[in-house]
Amino acid sequence: MRAAYVARFSPDSPLDGLEVGDRPEPAPPEHWTTVDVRAASLNHHDLWSLRGVGLREEQLPMILGTDAAGVTPDGTEVIVHGVIGADGHGVGPREHRSLLSERYPGTLAERVAVPTANLVPKPDGLSFEEAACLPTAWLTAYSMLFTKGGLAPGDRVLVQGAGGGLATAAVLLGAAAGLEVWVTSRSAEKRERALALGAAGAVETGARLPARVDAVLESVGQATWAHSIRSVRPGGTVLVCGATSGDAPPAELTRVFFQELRVQGVTMGSREDLGALARFCARTGVRPVIDVEVPLARAADGLARLAEGGQFGKVVVRP
């Protein structure tokens, strides 16, 4: 089968480590299912894998991808939950949690094998392309807002870095749930597009907000951390799911303890959360913003778009 995979590590130029070619068909063990992938989507995790983060040389070649939607052998349309081992299904109780493409081949392929328990029914109202956007960025945003963040209608939230899949998901989900969502971006165009999606306000990166927020969704890291800590109200929460600009900012510990802030890490979410997210989208009409769709043969173009940071929404790959 055709797949996009890490052939070699390239820390400084990640796309140099990417190849698209033939890989062996999945050989699913007991309690696993092979899914015909109809659509997959890209994440920064794929770029980190190409740089060699989270993988070892002896694991190469490794098929990329954590997100997919497709069809099972019996014709069921499903969304793939990419977290393996969190509840022991298909791997045993002692295996540590991993994401597809870390220990097991990923979704940027014509077919992918996953534990059968990781398959979530795809609502009829969602296309395969839309459904493929949900398992990482959208699920993480859902978890940050509602599961880990515990936000409720009327609460105020700041999303750092408008434009990416996580940020557009947070704006759309938050607005649909009655949250007051603020975003930051260096790009005036991205700020305007976030407002069009339902954001209550959009400001330059680092600019002061008119009022402090109940929670901050932080995925940028070093470049925005100080702003996040200063933007949240006393007793509020900074939810962290990534650090694309670096993971070692000044900690601002005095402000954290004196204002009794909570810092909460988030990595995706549970299978149950993914099912709830899919139903939320189906019932409300909220749909992922897709920046561009590329065929599997042009996966490098999609990853280049992600690496440049020019996208607004998700980059989708169609096998």
Side-chain angles (χ1 to χ4, degrees):
M1 67 172 184
R2 298 281 284 177
Y5 55 91
V6 186
R8 67 198 67 83
F9 296 140
S10 183
D12 298 323
S13 181
L15 294 182
D16 290 345
L18 176 73
E19 289 189 10
V20 178
D22 290 329
R23 297 300 305 146
E25 291 281 348
E30 187 179 9
H31 306 305
W32 286 52
T33 297
T34 296
V35 176
D36 285 328
V37 177
R38 298 295 174 82
S41 70
L42 302 180
N43 296 282
H44 279 278
H45 184 276
D46 303 311
L47 294 171
W48 289 116
S49 295
L50 287 162
R51 292 185 175 103
V53 177
L55 290 173
R56 303 182 305 276
E57 289 279 357
E58 57 267 28
Q59 293 177 278
L60 302 186
M62 173 63 77
I63 297 175
L64 290 165
T66 59
D67 294 357
V71 180
T72 63
D74 66 1
T76 303
E77 296 182 352
V78 297
I79 306 171
V80 173
H81 183 231
V83 182
I84 309 298
D87 53 14
H89 282 289
V91 297
R94 295 186 178 181
E95 182 167 315
H96 295 301
R97 181 187 67 179
S98 66
L99 307 183
L100 285 173
S101 76
E102 292 180 347
R103 185 174 290 132
Y104 302 100
T107 58
L108 295 189
E110 293 175 320
R111 283 166 290 282
V112 63
V114 296
T116 304
N118 281 49
L119 301 180
V120 172
K122 181 183 79 66
D124 291 338
L126 290 178
S127 69
F128 284 109
E129 291 77 13
E130 291 165 342
C133 297
L134 299 184
T136 297
W138 274 67
L139 178 57
T140 301
Y142 181 92
S143 298
M144 294 174 90
L145 292 172
F146 308 122
T147 308
K148 303 290 188 180
L151 296 173
D155 286 344
R156 185 181 292 119
V157 61
L158 171 64
V159 180
Q160 294 284 14
L166 173 81
T168 55
V171 171
L172 286 163
L173 292 171
L179 304 179
E180 181 183 326
V181 184
W182 286 75
V183 301
T184 68
S185 177
R186 293 187 299 271
S187 165
E189 179 186 358
K190 288 185 178 181
R191 294 196 300 271
E192 288 299 319
R193 293 187 69 178
L195 291 171
L197 292 180
V203 299
E204 286 260 11
T205 301
R208 185 171 182 174
L209 302 180
R212 290 193 184 184
V213 298
D214 299 291
V216 180
L217 273 58
E218 174 62 79
S219 63
V220 180
Q222 194 160 317
T224 57
W225 182 256
H227 184 250
S228 293
I229 294 295
R230 286 167 170 74
S231 297
V232 69
R233 63 165 175 80
T237 304
V238 179
L239 297 118
V240 185
C241 70
T244 56
S245 68
D247 66 354
E252 303 275 354
L253 290 180
T254 300
R255 193 174 291 264
V256 170
F257 72 72
F258 190 72
Q259 297 197 3
E260 297 187 327
L261 305 182
R262 181 166 70 102
V263 177
Q264 172 70 58
V266 182
T267 298
M268 295 168 69
S270 69
R271 183 176 61 253
E272 291 75 20
D273 286 341
L274 179 57
L277 168 61
R279 295 190 298 272
F280 184 102
C281 291
R283 291 170 183 168
T284 62
V286 169
R287 295 293 183 271
V289 175
I290 296 175
D291 177 74
V292 67
E293 298 180 18
V294 298
L296 181 61
R298 290 177 46 213
D301 293 343
L303 286 163
R305 176 81 172 158
L306 198 65
E308 292 162 0
Q311 84 283 1
F312 192 90
K314 293 290 290 178
V315 177
V316 170
V317 175
R318 291 180 281 103

